[in-house]
Amino acid sequence: MTTHKKKLIIGVFLLLLLISIPLTIALLSQQQETRGRAAGSTTLSFEPASTAGNPIQKSVGETIPLDIMVNPGTNLVTFVRFQVTYDPTKVQLATTNPFSINSSIFSIVEGPVTTAGSLAASVSIGSDPTKAIQKITKVGTLNFTAIGPTNGTPTTVTYGALTQALSAGQNDQASQNVLSTTTPANIVIGGTASPSAAVGDGTTLSFTLLLHGIGSAGDNPNPTGNTLSNKNPLHPQRNLAVQVFDTNNQIVASASAPVTFDSATGTFIGKVGLGKTFPAGSYNIKIKTDRYLRRLVPGFQQLKSLQENILPQTQMVAGDTNGDNFLNVIDYNALLDCGYGFLNPRPIADANSVFNKPSCQIHTPADNVDIDDNGIVNNFDYNLFLRELSVQNGD
């Protein structure tokens, strides 16, 4: 073999070697990366299980408990952040206990935080990594009530974009979201809406409310001063009690319905049905919701039968912490017992806050002491209460 041919063969060999080495390194690196970051296999679902073809069947007025279930798959789940979204015209979260945690397994890290049509919370297994979730486990229970018929088409409760699961698995990473899929709940609500929810079926009343201290509402001394009002209330859905009086001041109808915070307008809006036989005429209408005095909707209302009656925007006076329809020393004492004057008041979600001490919890419901509904009882609640005292009695 000539020297020239030998040099040519050696050159080709070296060239192939130079090409193969980076390729081999890349393949090994890819394999190592695959082993170092396993694919997430955790799933979140609801129980009872449902599909669009086999939905949960409920009637208007019935409760709908939904268990949040985590299936860790091959992961070792230590932390779950969930956000659930729903149609607030079809289902309503319980106002006193919207979410109950499975406290034997999890503890709440943050929340629950509710907004119009959603609830979010973070839970963890605590400080013991040996308690990581390795089998299908209940995180907790969402407590809904059916308020509006779905006419045969399921309404859904789904997991939102904030939902996340973390794992202590050997092949997982600390900041890796191991959540792979989520499964919604499908609910068909039958029957007709009760008087508290009937809309478009008979005579209805349509409300727009300004709740002092929240959204676009100011307070008694400064009704339009709203720039510092709470724009993100913890309870964006409230129950509104409605009384209808005739010209002889006799109650002729009463009903209740949810009103929901509209972040675009900063008001609470909702509708109440009075049924198909309610007679047309001139009426006084009084309304009440938690934390607020009962108020008379301005003016006599000329109601039309079998139609939607849009009522004037109504201002609601804050500070009625115990629901007795008065602003007085009892409400002030509730603020004092719940720590309004502390230099560094802790949020009500903090187990060590004054709010969670027996001296505050004797006030029922204690949530009402957070007058501006921002998650902390402090000097702002106290000052709002004082500014509202020019109106001490409800209508």
Side-chain angles (χ1 to χ4, degrees), residues 19-38:
I19 293 173
S20 64
I21 289 174
L23 182 60
T24 302
I25 292 173
L27 290 172
L28 288 174
S29 298
Q30 185 177 8
Q31 291 172 1
Q32 186 177 9
E33 172 69 13
T34 301
R35 288 196 301 269
R37 186 175 62 193

Side-chain angles (χ1 to χ4, degrees), residues 110-301:
E110 184 179 7
V113 175
T114 56
T115 59
S118 76
L119 177 146
S122 297
V123 302
S124 78
I125 61 165
S127 60
D128 187 352
T130 64
K131 294 182 179 180
I133 306 304
Q134 302 182 55
K135 61 182 181 180
I136 299 174
T137 302
K138 182 172 79 170
V139 175
T141 304
L142 295 165
N143 300 298
F144 288 100
T145 301
I147 63 171
T150 62
N151 301 317
T153 301
T155 187
T156 58
V157 179
T158 60
Y159 291 98
L162 293 178
T163 305
Q164 179 189 69
L166 303 180
S167 169
Q170 182 177 2
N171 292 325
D172 303 322
Q173 297 186 37
S175 59
Q176 180 184 351
N177 183 5
V178 297
L179 185 66
S180 61
T181 59
T182 61
T183 303
N186 294 267
I187 308 165
V188 166
I189 301 172
T192 57
S194 64
S196 65
V199 176
D201 182 19
T203 304
T204 62
L205 307 178
S206 180
F207 293 94
T208 301
L209 309 178
L210 285 164
L211 271 56
H212 283 182
I214 297 177
S216 295
D219 53 32
N220 279 331
N222 189 4
T224 61
N226 57 40
T227 56
L228 298 180
S229 294
N230 180 18
K231 301 299 191 290
N232 188 29
L234 289 182
H235 298 85
Q237 193 173 71
R238 317 284 184 96
N239 188 64
L240 183 71
V242 179
Q243 295 175 317
V244 182
F245 296 79
D246 64 16
T247 52
N248 296 317
N249 203 32
Q250 299 297 309
I251 294 179
V252 294
S254 60
S256 63
V259 289
T260 303
F261 183 65
D262 179 13
S263 58
T265 63
T267 62
F268 283 78
I269 57 176
K271 296 181 182 181
V272 175
L274 300 178
K276 295 181 179 180
T277 60
F278 188 85
S282 181
Y283 298 94
N284 274 325
I285 300 171
K286 294 181 180 181
I287 54 177
K288 192 178 190 317
T289 190
D290 286 346
R291 297 178 174 86
Y292 292 83
L293 296 177
R294 183 169 60 238
R295 301 303 290 164
L296 175 69
V297 175
F300 276 100
Q301 305 304 315

